[in-house]
């Protein structure tokens, strides 16, 4: 079971409504309650009195699982508000919690690596133990945050 850190919000919504017909490939959309990136999108016309339908296939931005949905193009779906932020990796403790620092020198220690189930996390741990200077990218959406990418700082 993967753990995701909850995000503290200062009010506001995690999602915004968007008409299903306005969605495109590579947009973000909520499918079956999960924030997904659209990998396939097509529309089909229905019978004489029906609605045009949008066939949407998305990949969960946190777990990588595939979800599909069919929705009339005139109906609203929810689009997650997705943020990316880079942090310098300062330390990884014995329980795989990361000490991260942003560009304002603020630190946080609430995100945990899952090297058993996530290849990116496995690489972060290996590179960290090999004394490489690393920057990690944290993706956040719908009160979930996860480290999704890493790059080495060239000195």
């Amino acid at each position: 079971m993967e753990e995701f850190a909850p995000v503290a919000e200062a009010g506001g919504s995690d999602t915004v409504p968007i008409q299903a017909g306005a969605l495109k490939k590579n947009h973000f959309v909520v499918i079956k309650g999960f924030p997904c990136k659209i990998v396939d999108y097509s529309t089909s016309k229905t019978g004489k009195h029906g609605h045009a339908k949008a066939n949407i296939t998305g990949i969960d931005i946190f777990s990588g699982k595939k979800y599909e949905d069919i929705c009339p193009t005139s109906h609203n779906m929810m689009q997650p508000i997705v943020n990316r932020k880079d942090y310098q990796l300062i330390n990884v403790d014995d329980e795989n919690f990361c000490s991260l620092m942003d560009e304002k020198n603020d630190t946080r220690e609430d995100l945990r690596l899952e090297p058993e189930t996530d290849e990116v996390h496995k690489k972060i741990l290996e590179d960290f133990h090999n004394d490489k200077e690393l920057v990690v990218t944290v993706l956040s959406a719908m009160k979930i945050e996860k480290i999704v990418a890493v790059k080495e700082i060239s000195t």
Side-chain angles (χ1 to χ4, degrees):
M1 181 70 196
E2 290 188 73
E3 289 181 37
F4 301 117
V7 181
E9 294 284 326
S13 176
D14 301 330
T15 58
V16 292
I18 185 168
Q19 201 167 332
L23 291 167
K24 293 181 175 63
K25 204 170 170 178
N26 295 325
H27 279 190
F28 295 109
V29 69
V30 178
I31 301 177
K32 295 179 173 57
F34 299 97
C36 297
K37 185 174 190 172
I38 298 172
V39 292
D40 193 35
Y41 179 90
S42 61
T43 53
S44 58
K45 296 249 186 263
T46 55
K48 209 195 271 186
H49 301 290
H51 291 277
K53 298 259 195 297
N55 299 303
I56 303 160
T57 304
I59 303 289
D60 185 317
I61 59 176
F62 296 115
S63 72
K65 286 186 186 148
K66 184 189 264 190
Y67 294 98
E68 295 181 24
D69 201 1
I70 297 171
C71 181
T73 54
S74 58
H75 288 204
N76 275 352
M77 293 186 76
M78 297 314 287
Q79 189 170 42
I81 297 168
V82 179
N83 292 305
R84 300 177 81 90
K85 189 168 178 183
D86 287 346
Y87 293 89
Q88 184 171 352
L89 180 65
I90 300 166
N91 189 33
V92 180
D93 71 13
D94 296 340
E95 295 178 2
N96 290 338
F97 278 96
C98 297
S99 294
L100 305 173
M101 185 171 65
D102 67 11
E103 71 279 352
K104 296 177 190 152
N105 293 335
D106 292 331
T107 58
R108 59 183 294 182
E109 298 179 350
D110 58 341
L111 292 176
R112 187 169 181 220
L113 296 177
E114 301 285 342
E116 305 82 29
T117 56
D118 191 303
E119 287 301 314
V120 173
H121 290 189
K122 192 174 178 178
K123 179 174 172 24
I124 292 168
L125 215 50
E126 286 171 9
D127 287 352
F128 176 74
H129 290 304
N130 290 329
D131 295 326
K132 293 184 180 175
E133 297 259 332
L134 302 173
V135 168
V136 297
T137 301
V138 176
L139 203 61
S140 62
M142 299 172 65
K143 295 189 175 41
I144 297 172
E145 288 191 306
K146 185 179 178 190
I147 296 172
V148 295
V150 62
K151 58 185 175 245
E152 192 175 347
I153 302 171
S154 48
T155 47

